[in-house]
Amino acid sequence: MTRLQLLERLKTLQQMPPHTKRDITTVSAMLSTEALTRHVELCEIAAGAPPMTGGRPQTGSAGTSLRA
């Protein structure tokens, strides 16, 4: 995942309820790409958001039906 994709994801996570009253984006300017990746992962966990893979949120197995 590129740094730009990570920053876009972080911007999305900033709008989620657990993060609306705190700034999770400013620190990104000082982080390496590896550290930014970890920061985004931790913010996803805190927000209960599906983790990103390949620039898109994971939503489960492809081809899996939820219908009974």
Side-chain angles (χ1 to χ4, degrees):
M1 185 176 312
T2 67
R3 187 170 184 87
L4 179 59
Q5 290 171 319
L6 290 167
L7 293 171
E8 288 173 349
R9 178 63 171 163
L10 198 57
K11 190 186 237 185
T12 300
L13 291 167
Q14 177 68 65
Q15 304 305 315
M16 295 184 146
H19 302 302
T20 54
K21 293 186 179 185
R22 50 188 301 230
D23 182 8
I24 62 170
T25 57
T26 300
V27 70
S28 65
M30 297 175 275
L31 298 176
S32 67
T33 302
E34 294 79 23
L36 179 58
T37 299
R38 183 68 180 143
H39 178 61
V40 169
E41 289 171 355
L42 292 172
C43 290
E44 287 172 337
I45 291 167
M52 288 193 65
T53 57
R56 295 180 180 211
Q58 264 185 355
T59 56
S61 301
T64 302
S65 175
L66 297 177
R67 290 187 234 170

PDB file of all heavy atoms in Angstrom, residues 25-47:
ATOM      1  N   THR A  25      -4.172  12.201  12.662  1.00  0.00           N
ATOM      2  CA  THR A  25      -3.527  12.420  11.372  1.00  0.00           C
ATOM      3  C   THR A  25      -2.224  13.215  11.439  1.00  0.00           C
ATOM      4  O   THR A  25      -1.324  12.975  10.649  1.00  0.00           O
ATOM      5  CB  THR A  25      -4.475  13.129  10.398  1.00  0.00           C
ATOM      6  OG1 THR A  25      -4.896  14.364  10.986  1.00  0.00           O
ATOM      7  CG2 THR A  25      -5.701  12.271  10.098  1.00  0.00           C
ATOM      8  N   THR A  26      -2.092  14.149  12.358  1.00  0.00           N
ATOM      9  CA  THR A  26      -0.919  15.025  12.392  1.00  0.00           C
ATOM     10  C   THR A  26       0.377  14.246  12.558  1.00  0.00           C
ATOM     11  O   THR A  26       1.384  14.563  11.928  1.00  0.00           O
ATOM     12  CB  THR A  26      -1.064  16.069  13.509  1.00  0.00           C
ATOM     13  OG1 THR A  26      -2.233  16.845  13.250  1.00  0.00           O
ATOM     14  CG2 THR A  26       0.139  16.999  13.557  1.00  0.00           C
ATOM     15  N   VAL A  27       0.356  13.216  13.372  1.00  0.00           N
ATOM     16  CA  VAL A  27       1.557  12.429  13.623  1.00  0.00           C
ATOM     17  C   VAL A  27       2.086  11.766  12.357  1.00  0.00           C
ATOM     18  O   VAL A  27       3.278  11.455  12.250  1.00  0.00           O
ATOM     19  CB  VAL A  27       1.300  11.385  14.737  1.00  0.00           C
ATOM     20  CG1 VAL A  27       0.361  10.293  14.251  1.00  0.00           C
ATOM     21  CG2 VAL A  27       2.587  10.791  15.252  1.00  0.00           C
ATOM     22  N   SER A  28       1.249  11.594  11.363  1.00  0.00           N
ATOM     23  CA  SER A  28       1.651  10.899  10.134  1.00  0.00           C
ATOM     24  C   SER A  28       2.801  11.599   9.409  1.00  0.00           C
ATOM     25  O   SER A  28       3.578  10.944   8.716  1.00  0.00           O
ATOM     26  CB  SER A  28       0.466  10.731   9.194  1.00  0.00           C
ATOM     27  OG  SER A  28       0.008  11.993   8.752  1.00  0.00           O
ATOM     28  N   ALA A  29       2.939  12.899   9.587  1.00  0.00           N
ATOM     29  CA  ALA A  29       4.016  13.636   8.928  1.00  0.00           C
ATOM     30  C   ALA A  29       5.392  13.211   9.432  1.00  0.00           C
ATOM     31  O   ALA A  29       6.385  13.322   8.716  1.00  0.00           O
ATOM     32  CB  ALA A  29       3.832  15.129   9.143  1.00  0.00           C
ATOM     33  N   MET A  30       5.453  12.697  10.646  1.00  0.00           N
ATOM     34  CA  MET A  30       6.731  12.325  11.246  1.00  0.00           C
ATOM     35  C   MET A  30       7.028  10.833  11.162  1.00  0.00           C
ATOM     36  O   MET A  30       8.100  10.407  11.561  1.00  0.00           O
ATOM     37  CB  MET A  30       6.752  12.756  12.718  1.00  0.00           C
ATOM     38  CG  MET A  30       6.647  14.255  12.892  1.00  0.00           C
ATOM     39  SD  MET A  30       6.529  14.710  14.602  1.00  0.00           S
ATOM     40  CE  MET A  30       4.781  14.524  14.880  1.00  0.00           C
ATOM     41  N   LEU A  31       6.085  10.041  10.669  1.00  0.00           N
ATOM     42  CA  LEU A  31       6.249   8.589  10.659  1.00  0.00           C
ATOM     43  C   LEU A  31       6.812   8.084   9.338  1.00  0.00           C
ATOM     44  O   LEU A  31       6.470   8.601   8.272  1.00  0.00           O
ATOM     45  CB  LEU A  31       4.892   7.917  10.903  1.00  0.00           C
ATOM     46  CG  LEU A  31       4.208   8.203  12.235  1.00  0.00           C
ATOM     47  CD1 LEU A  31       2.833   7.543  12.267  1.00  0.00           C
ATOM     48  CD2 LEU A  31       5.059   7.720  13.393  1.00  0.00           C
ATOM     49  N   SER A  32       7.634   7.053   9.422  1.00  0.00           N
ATOM     50  CA  SER A  32       8.077   6.358   8.215  1.00  0.00           C
ATOM     51  C   SER A  32       6.863   5.626   7.638  1.00  0.00           C
ATOM     52  O   SER A  32       5.833   5.484   8.312  1.00  0.00           O
ATOM     53  CB  SER A  32       9.176   5.351   8.557  1.00  0.00           C
ATOM     54  OG  SER A  32       8.648   4.307   9.360  1.00  0.00           O
ATOM     55  N   THR A  33       6.979   5.137   6.440  1.00  0.00           N
ATOM     56  CA  THR A  33       5.868   4.409   5.823  1.00  0.00           C
ATOM     57  C   THR A  33       5.518   3.169   6.636  1.00  0.00           C
ATOM     58  O   THR A  33       4.343   2.855   6.822  1.00  0.00           O
ATOM     59  CB  THR A  33       6.194   4.039   4.367  1.00  0.00           C
ATOM     60  OG1 THR A  33       6.474   5.244   3.652  1.00  0.00           O
ATOM     61  CG2 THR A  33       5.029   3.327   3.703  1.00  0.00           C
ATOM     62  N   GLU A  34       6.539   2.474   7.152  1.00  0.00           N
ATOM     63  CA  GLU A  34       6.291   1.279   7.966  1.00  0.00           C
ATOM     64  C   GLU A  34       5.555   1.644   9.254  1.00  0.00           C
ATOM     65  O   GLU A  34       4.604   0.971   9.653  1.00  0.00           O
ATOM     66  CB  GLU A  34       7.605   0.571   8.297  1.00  0.00           C
ATOM     67  CG  GLU A  34       8.312  -0.009   7.092  1.00  0.00           C
ATOM     68  CD  GLU A  34       9.077   1.033   6.281  1.00  0.00           C
ATOM     69  OE1 GLU A  34       9.435   2.111   6.833  1.00  0.00           O
ATOM     70  OE2 GLU A  34       9.309   0.794   5.092  1.00  0.00           O
ATOM     71  N   ALA A  35       5.991   2.721   9.901  1.00  0.00           N
ATOM     72  CA  ALA A  35       5.340   3.156  11.138  1.00  0.00           C
ATOM     73  C   ALA A  35       3.927   3.665  10.853  1.00  0.00           C
ATOM     74  O   ALA A  35       3.007   3.440  11.644  1.00  0.00           O
ATOM     75  CB  ALA A  35       6.171   4.246  11.819  1.00  0.00           C
ATOM     76  N   LEU A  36       3.730   4.327   9.721  1.00  0.00           N
ATOM     77  CA  LEU A  36       2.406   4.803   9.331  1.00  0.00           C
ATOM     78  C   LEU A  36       1.467   3.625   9.096  1.00  0.00           C
ATOM     79  O   LEU A  36       0.302   3.660   9.497  1.00  0.00           O
ATOM     80  CB  LEU A  36       2.495   5.686   8.087  1.00  0.00           C
ATOM     81  CG  LEU A  36       1.181   6.240   7.549  1.00  0.00           C
ATOM     82  CD1 LEU A  36       0.457   7.078   8.601  1.00  0.00           C
ATOM     83  CD2 LEU A  36       1.441   7.070   6.293  1.00  0.00           C
ATOM     84  N   THR A  37       1.975   2.576   8.476  1.00  0.00           N
ATOM     85  CA  THR A  37       1.178   1.370   8.256  1.00  0.00           C
ATOM     86  C   THR A  37       0.688   0.812   9.581  1.00  0.00           C
ATOM     87  O   THR A  37      -0.492   0.484   9.739  1.00  0.00           O
ATOM     88  CB  THR A  37       2.006   0.304   7.505  1.00  0.00           C
ATOM     89  OG1 THR A  37       2.397   0.836   6.240  1.00  0.00           O
ATOM     90  CG2 THR A  37       1.209  -0.969   7.289  1.00  0.00           C
ATOM     91  N   ARG A  38       1.575   0.726  10.547  1.00  0.00           N
ATOM     92  CA  ARG A  38       1.204   0.208  11.869  1.00  0.00           C
ATOM     93  C   ARG A  38       0.208   1.141  12.565  1.00  0.00           C
ATOM     94  O   ARG A  38      -0.742   0.679  13.198  1.00  0.00           O
ATOM     95  CB  ARG A  38       2.464   0.027  12.724  1.00  0.00           C
ATOM     96  CG  ARG A  38       2.188  -0.565  14.064  1.00  0.00           C
ATOM     97  CD  ARG A  38       1.725  -2.002  13.950  1.00  0.00           C
ATOM     98  NE  ARG A  38       1.484  -2.521  15.292  1.00  0.00           N
ATOM     99  CZ  ARG A  38       0.519  -3.350  15.613  1.00  0.00           C
ATOM    100  NH1 ARG A  38      -0.289  -3.804  14.690  1.00  0.00           N
ATOM    101  NH2 ARG A  38       0.361  -3.758  16.839  1.00  0.00           N
ATOM    102  N   HIS A  39       0.408   2.445  12.437  1.00  0.00           N
ATOM    103  CA  HIS A  39      -0.504   3.425  13.037  1.00  0.00           C
ATOM    104  C   HIS A  39      -1.912   3.261  12.453  1.00  0.00           C
ATOM    105  O   HIS A  39      -2.902   3.259  13.198  1.00  0.00           O
ATOM    106  CB  HIS A  39       0.025   4.841  12.786  1.00  0.00           C
ATOM    107  CG  HIS A  39      -0.841   5.937  13.309  1.00  0.00           C
ATOM    108  ND1 HIS A  39      -1.154   6.081  14.637  1.00  0.00           N
ATOM    109  CD2 HIS A  39      -1.459   6.965  12.662  1.00  0.00           C
ATOM    110  CE1 HIS A  39      -1.938   7.150  14.795  1.00  0.00           C
ATOM    111  NE2 HIS A  39      -2.133   7.693  13.606  1.00  0.00           N
ATOM    112  N   VAL A  40      -2.008   3.100  11.141  1.00  0.00           N
ATOM    113  CA  VAL A  40      -3.303   2.907  10.486  1.00  0.00           C
ATOM    114  C   VAL A  40      -3.939   1.610  10.985  1.00  0.00           C
ATOM    115  O   VAL A  40      -5.133   1.576  11.291  1.00  0.00           O
ATOM    116  CB  VAL A  40      -3.167   2.911   8.949  1.00  0.00           C
ATOM    117  CG1 VAL A  40      -4.451   2.452   8.275  1.00  0.00           C
ATOM    118  CG2 VAL A  40      -2.780   4.299   8.457  1.00  0.00           C
ATOM    119  N   GLU A  41      -3.145   0.548  11.100  1.00  0.00           N
ATOM    120  CA  GLU A  41      -3.669  -0.727  11.594  1.00  0.00           C
ATOM    121  C   GLU A  41      -4.244  -0.579  12.999  1.00  0.00           C
ATOM    122  O   GLU A  41      -5.336  -1.083  13.291  1.00  0.00           O
ATOM    123  CB  GLU A  41      -2.564  -1.786  11.606  1.00  0.00           C
ATOM    124  CG  GLU A  41      -2.152  -2.258  10.241  1.00  0.00           C
ATOM    125  CD  GLU A  41      -0.906  -3.140  10.270  1.00  0.00           C
ATOM    126  OE1 GLU A  41      -0.300  -3.322  11.354  1.00  0.00           O
ATOM    127  OE2 GLU A  41      -0.537  -3.641   9.202  1.00  0.00           O
ATOM    128  N   LEU A  42      -3.530   0.111  13.867  1.00  0.00           N
ATOM    129  CA  LEU A  42      -4.007   0.295  15.240  1.00  0.00           C
ATOM    130  C   LEU A  42      -5.259   1.165  15.290  1.00  0.00           C
ATOM    131  O   LEU A  42      -6.171   0.899  16.078  1.00  0.00           O
ATOM    132  CB  LEU A  42      -2.900   0.899  16.110  1.00  0.00           C
ATOM    133  CG  LEU A  42      -1.703  -0.016  16.364  1.00  0.00           C
ATOM    134  CD1 LEU A  42      -0.589   0.750  17.070  1.00  0.00           C
ATOM    135  CD2 LEU A  42      -2.114  -1.243  17.154  1.00  0.00           C
ATOM    136  N   CYS A  43      -5.331   2.166  14.440  1.00  0.00           N
ATOM    137  CA  CYS A  43      -6.523   3.015  14.374  1.00  0.00           C
ATOM    138  C   CYS A  43      -7.718   2.238  13.837  1.00  0.00           C
ATOM    139  O   CYS A  43      -8.856   2.451  14.275  1.00  0.00           O
ATOM    140  CB  CYS A  43      -6.253   4.263  13.534  1.00  0.00           C
ATOM    141  SG  CYS A  43      -5.122   5.427  14.325  1.00  0.00           S
ATOM    142  N   GLU A  44      -7.487   1.330  12.892  1.00  0.00           N
ATOM    143  CA  GLU A  44      -8.563   0.467  12.381  1.00  0.00           C
ATOM    144  C   GLU A  44      -9.095  -0.427  13.495  1.00  0.00           C
ATOM    145  O   GLU A  44     -10.309  -0.583  13.643  1.00  0.00           O
ATOM    146  CB  GLU A  44      -8.048  -0.398  11.232  1.00  0.00           C
ATOM    147  CG  GLU A  44      -7.815   0.357   9.953  1.00  0.00           C
ATOM    148  CD  GLU A  44      -7.137  -0.465   8.881  1.00  0.00           C
ATOM    149  OE1 GLU A  44      -6.456  -1.467   9.190  1.00  0.00           O
ATOM    150  OE2 GLU A  44      -7.280  -0.090   7.701  1.00  0.00           O
ATOM    151  N   ILE A  45      -8.198  -0.995  14.269  1.00  0.00           N
ATOM    152  CA  ILE A  45      -8.613  -1.852  15.380  1.00  0.00           C
ATOM    153  C   ILE A  45      -9.443  -1.053  16.377  1.00  0.00           C
ATOM    154  O   ILE A  45     -10.514  -1.495  16.807  1.00  0.00           O
ATOM    155  CB  ILE A  45      -7.383  -2.487  16.062  1.00  0.00           C
ATOM    156  CG1 ILE A  45      -6.739  -3.500  15.114  1.00  0.00           C
ATOM    157  CG2 ILE A  45      -7.761  -3.125  17.392  1.00  0.00           C
ATOM    158  CD1 ILE A  45      -5.352  -3.959  15.547  1.00  0.00           C
ATOM    159  N   ALA A  46      -8.975   0.142  16.732  1.00  0.00           N
ATOM    160  CA  ALA A  46      -9.683   0.983  17.698  1.00  0.00           C
ATOM    161  C   ALA A  46     -11.071   1.381  17.193  1.00  0.00           C
ATOM    162  O   ALA A  46     -12.015   1.497  17.970  1.00  0.00           O
ATOM    163  CB  ALA A  46      -8.864   2.234  18.012  1.00  0.00           C
ATOM    164  N   ALA A  47     -11.197   1.576  15.884  1.00  0.00           N
ATOM    165  CA  ALA A  47     -12.476   1.988  15.303  1.00  0.00           C
ATOM    166  C   ALA A  47     -13.373   0.807  14.968  1.00  0.00           C
ATOM    167  O   ALA A  47     -14.536   0.986  14.622  1.00  0.00           O
ATOM    168  CB  ALA A  47     -12.225   2.823  14.045  1.00  0.00           C
TER     169      ALA A  47
END
